Amino acid sequence: MRWLRLSIHNWLKVTVSFMTEPKSALVALYDDLCREKDRGSASLLVLLDLSAAFDTIDHGILLDRLAGLGVGGTALQWFCSYLNGRFQKVVLGDYVSAPWQLCHGVPQGSILSPLLFNIYMKPLGEVIRRCGLRNHQYADDTQLYLSFSTNPGEAVAVLNRCLAEVIEWMRANKLKLNPDKTEVLLVGGSGFGEGGFDLVLNGATLPLRDKVCSLGVLLDPELSLEAQVTAVARSAFLQLRLINQLRPYLEYNCLATVTHALVTSRLDFCNALYVGLPLKTVRTLQLVQNRAARLLTGTGCYAHMTPVLRQLHWLPIEARAQFKVLIMTYKALNGLGPGYLNERLRPYMPDCPLRSAGESLLREPSMKEIRRVSTRRRAFSAVAPNLWNSLPKEVSLAPSLLVFRHQVKTFLFKHHFNC
């Protein structure tokens, strides 16, 4: 049994590369769209929606995929036992339905289920890339996109052919796409207008949207994130009003825990995308954080908030976004993050031997590569090297992620509060 646990553990370490985090997938997607927009190209982003995805997985196909990845013997038998022989029933009061055997699907709530689903869906990425499109997959969320600078009609034709192949692959693998919930966004295509972008999925025309929700983040055609920031602020202010009603009944530690769980978590979700946003947009989120700090400390509405944030040891919104980007950069450079982020970071190699060559610096894109100031401030491939190179050498060379997190937070705290 111990050998079986070790075998499965080692296999999971190998196949974990199929898994990705929503924030890193969004950062990569946003970086691609920003860079294409900077080049003057437009991009068509399609967010596919699957119906009951986890419940329709075919066990036979999944086990074949596992065998194709090198899982065999006792380990494969263990997965077969894990998937087969499951039943479900409905209980309503004193009434219980007859058990019904489950021949499809993976157990939801299990830590293995997202990994098994990603393995099941892995060939879909190969189908999309074979059509000449780029894609990102996270569990049952599949996003594919195609960039073009001229001839949008040809781009639409390529996308329609790709969608037709995706439909065929889904049918062969007993999955079903939902055209009604599949969304399309045209990014940076103001010069092309909105006519002529007739994408078809399973006979249904997919209209262009003015905003789409990608892994919990609202994207708009200009990538301004204004809709996302507005939605986050509205939701967070609502939670603050509810927390304020509980304030007389909670001790400080409990109040702080509730505030972090219901408000700070919303501000920090995918906040790596907030780097370089205009001040008026960042200010909306900063007002939320200030309100949370006032509620927690009992500070008056006219008091200056910088000393309060410093007392709480809270980094302001801009610094929190920079912190998240630096953490993702450290992970990517040290093999702790997805490879597609590491590919966007290149070490700095001077033309002639310089002392800076051994300081683990990253190469910043030139003005020819990225022309717009807004792109340089917001695209991960430009922001990450700039922030990384500003770190002291002892911070960037931290021996572990835990040490790096502590040191980089201290560095940002001193920088933003001038202490």
Side-chain angles (χ1 to χ4, degrees), residues 127-167:
V127 172
I128 296 172
R129 288 188 292 273
R130 194 163 58 241
C131 294
L133 279 70
R134 288 175 288 182
N135 74 295
H136 282 287
Q137 294 172 257
Y138 178 77
D140 60 339
D141 286 290
T142 299
Q143 305 170 88
L144 53 94
Y145 50 104
L146 177 66
S147 300
F148 56 94
S149 56
T150 58
N151 197 354
E154 181 180 347
V156 170
V158 171
L159 258 173
N160 279 329
R161 287 196 296 269
C162 182
L163 291 176
E165 292 196 26
V166 168
I167 284 287

Side-chain angles (χ1 to χ4, degrees), residues 48-282:
L48 301 177
D49 182 84
L50 280 74
S51 300
F54 277 67
D55 297 329
T56 55
I57 296 297
D58 184 89
H59 292 168
I61 297 176
L62 177 57
L63 292 172
D64 288 342
R65 297 260 159 84
L66 292 172
L69 291 171
V71 181
T74 307
L76 187 62
Q77 293 175 14
W78 184 89
F79 277 106
C80 184
S81 174
Y82 173 77
L83 294 169
N84 295 326
R86 293 182 178 272
F87 293 81
Q88 70 177 10
K89 59 184 178 181
V90 177
V91 178
L92 182 60
D94 296 331
Y95 297 93
V96 181
S97 69
W100 185 271
Q101 186 172 0
L102 298 176
C103 301
H104 299 83
V106 289
Q108 297 195 40
S110 166
I111 193 173
L112 276 178
S113 297
L115 177 60
L116 293 174
F117 185 84
N118 272 17
I119 292 172
Y120 191 88
M121 295 288 289
K122 181 178 180 292
L124 177 60
E126 299 169 3
V127 172
I128 296 172
R129 288 188 292 273
R130 194 163 58 241
C131 294
L133 279 70
R134 288 175 288 182
N135 74 295
H136 282 287
Q137 294 172 257
Y138 178 77
D140 60 339
D141 286 290
T142 299
Q143 305 170 88
L144 53 94
Y145 50 104
L146 177 66
S147 300
F148 56 94
S149 56
T150 58
N151 197 354
E154 181 180 347
V156 170
V158 171
L159 258 173
N160 279 329
R161 287 196 296 269
C162 182
L163 291 176
E165 292 196 26
V166 168
I167 284 287
E168 289 302 318
W169 186 90
M170 292 286 181
R171 288 172 179 164
N173 288 271
K174 302 183 180 180
L175 297 171
K176 182 182 179 182
L177 279 176
N178 187 351
D180 295 334
K181 293 185 178 180
T182 295
E183 299 180 313
V184 183
L185 182 71
L186 176 62
V187 178
S190 56
F192 297 103
E194 295 188 2
F197 294 96
D198 297 326
L199 295 177
V200 179
L201 180 64
N202 202 23
T205 301
L206 304 176
L208 295 180
R209 307 282 186 177
D210 57 353
K211 59 184 176 183
V212 297
C213 185
S214 174
L215 295 174
V217 173
L218 293 173
L219 300 178
D220 58 85
E222 297 302 319
L223 301 178
S224 66
L225 293 183
E226 289 183 2
Q228 168 67 13
V229 168
T230 300
V232 169
R234 184 187 300 114
S235 175
F237 276 128
L238 174 62
Q239 297 299 323
L240 283 171
R241 286 195 292 270
L242 297 176
I243 295 172
N244 190 47
Q245 298 175 15
L246 297 175
R247 185 182 176 192
Y249 311 101
L250 296 179
E251 297 180 356
Y252 177 84
N253 290 338
C254 294
L255 190 63
T257 300
V258 172
T259 302
H260 288 309
L262 299 180
V263 179
T264 307
S265 61
R266 284 175 163 80
L267 297 177
D268 287 345
F269 178 72
C270 289
N271 63 337
L273 301 180
Y274 299 157
V275 170
L277 287 178
L279 291 178
K280 65 175 184 178
T281 307
V282 175

Side-chain angles (χ1 to χ4, degrees), residues 348-350 352-361:
Y348 171 67
M349 302 294 293
C352 55
L354 297 174
R355 186 170 54 186
S356 59
E359 295 184 357
S360 301
L361 300 178

Side-chain angles (χ1 to χ4, degrees), residues 13-62:
K13 288 175 64 177
V14 173
T15 56
V16 76
S17 59
F18 297 140
M19 294 290 289
T20 182
E21 299 177 350
K23 58 178 179 290
S24 60
L26 271 170
V27 166
L29 172 66
Y30 194 82
D31 183 71
D32 288 339
L33 297 177
C34 281
R35 294 291 296 266
E36 291 295 341
K37 191 169 179 287
D38 184 82
R39 298 185 186 103
S41 299
S43 299
L44 277 168
L45 171 66
V46 182
L47 282 69
L48 301 177
D49 182 84
L50 280 74
S51 300
F54 277 67
D55 297 329
T56 55
I57 296 297
D58 184 89
H59 292 168
I61 297 176
L62 177 57

